[in-house]
Amino acid sequence: MTTATSNQKRKPAPPATSRALRISGLALAASTAFWAYLVYSAPLDSVQGLIQKILYVHVPCWFAAYAGFGLTAACGALYLWRNDERFDRVAVAGAEVGVLFCTLGLVTGPIWAKGTWGHWWAWDPRLTVTLVLWFIYLAYLLLRSFTEGSTRTARFASVYGIAGLAAVPLNYFAIELFGGAAMHPDNLERESLGAGMGLPFAMGALTALLALLHLILLRVDLESRRVAASEDASKWDGDADF
């Protein structure tokens, strides 16, 4: 009885990610405000007009998606090596947030395409590979959701996440690989953007990566709290049985 009462009154220590969450949240808010101002004041493209400003959202979303999938592969490898569940949690968070940004990229892309090509979707090589990339990591998340808590599944998912990363460079270099079959313009280079467009684009990329970091920290924090609550509940049941 005494043990159960002491466990009930004991307050759990705050998660290690709490301070990082506050810092990343403040940085994201400041970055988003500055980015929005830069996009608003950026010059209009002489050919595409206003619709071209979706560039400052669309492309940064892919940077964040690639980073999320890369994190899934890296943490999956670390989990296989160290057998530490914390790496597995970060791997899952990277895939979840990566799929979110991949979805945003797939949504903003057709909006841009409608304004420039005149239709929402074309089976352009990059679009096709992008859809495959989305399905690869959606399957990863479905696998984890249907078999949550299984060590065997975590190990298989780690291998799957590492193998799935091969689709990222294939997606990025699809234009070069398929040559004239691609409708997409070439990948951006240093001189690709017009005057006044470089800074809002760079700020968009930074903001997307900060959003990725903040969401991953938030997801890991929630999962850590869930695990801690589950362990406390197990201890409570054990004390009550005793």
Side-chain angles (χ1 to χ4, degrees):
M1 185 68 177
T2 304
T3 305
T5 304
S6 63
N7 282 339
Q8 185 179 22
K9 292 181 178 179
R10 179 175 56 83
K11 294 181 179 180
T17 54
S18 294
R19 183 179 180 184
L21 266 172
R22 290 193 295 270
I23 295 173
S24 64
L26 290 172
L28 176 60
S31 176
T32 301
F34 187 44
W35 165 77
Y37 167 75
L38 290 174
V39 172
Y40 174 77
S41 58
L44 295 178
D45 183 79
S46 59
V47 177
Q48 300 181 49
L50 184 62
I51 192 66
Q52 181 269 344
K53 289 196 175 186
I54 205 169
L55 164 78
Y56 307 123
V57 177
H58 178 67
V59 178
C61 280
W62 290 116
F63 290 164
Y66 293 163
F69 298 150
L71 185 65
T72 296
C75 288
L78 288 170
Y79 173 74
L80 292 173
W81 177 38
R82 302 295 297 273
N83 198 30
D84 189 332
E85 290 185 0
R86 291 175 297 181
F87 291 123
D88 186 50
R89 293 174 201 163
V90 177
V92 175
E96 289 177 343
V97 182
V99 166
L100 171 64
F101 279 102
C102 190
T103 303
L104 290 174
L106 284 171
V107 170
T108 54
I111 295 173
W112 194 2
K114 179 64 176 177
T116 54
W117 300 342
H119 45 268
W120 297 99
W121 186 271
W123 290 104
D124 172 86
R126 170 165 280 178
L127 288 174
T128 304
V129 175
T130 298
L131 191 60
V132 171
L133 177 69
W134 184 77
F135 276 119
I136 287 172
Y137 284 93
L138 184 64
Y140 174 97
L141 296 180
L142 290 174
L143 170 67
R144 301 307 301 262
S145 65
F146 290 145
T147 54
E148 185 178 357
S150 169
T151 301
R152 181 179 179 182
T153 299
R155 296 183 68 83
F156 176 79
S158 296
V159 175
Y160 182 91
I162 295 169
L165 190 64
V168 170
L170 178 63
N171 178 258
Y172 184 80
F173 292 109
I175 296 172
E176 288 82 356
L177 291 173
F178 291 93
M183 294 180 64
H184 264 81
D186 294 338
N187 289 321
L188 291 174
E189 298 178 357
R190 179 171 296 181
E191 303 300 328
S192 298
L193 297 172
M197 297 180 180
L199 183 56
F201 177 80
M203 202 65 203
L206 175 61
T207 301
L209 292 175
L210 283 173
L212 174 83
L213 174 63
H214 183 70
L215 290 173
I216 287 175
L217 287 172
L218 181 61
R219 183 64 182 87
V220 171
D221 179 65
L222 290 173
E223 183 63 16
S224 298
R225 291 176 184 271
R226 186 192 69 80
V227 171
S230 178
E231 290 176 351
D232 285 346
S234 298
K235 290 178 182 179
W236 174 264
D237 290 340
D239 290 337
D241 292 340
F242 179 77

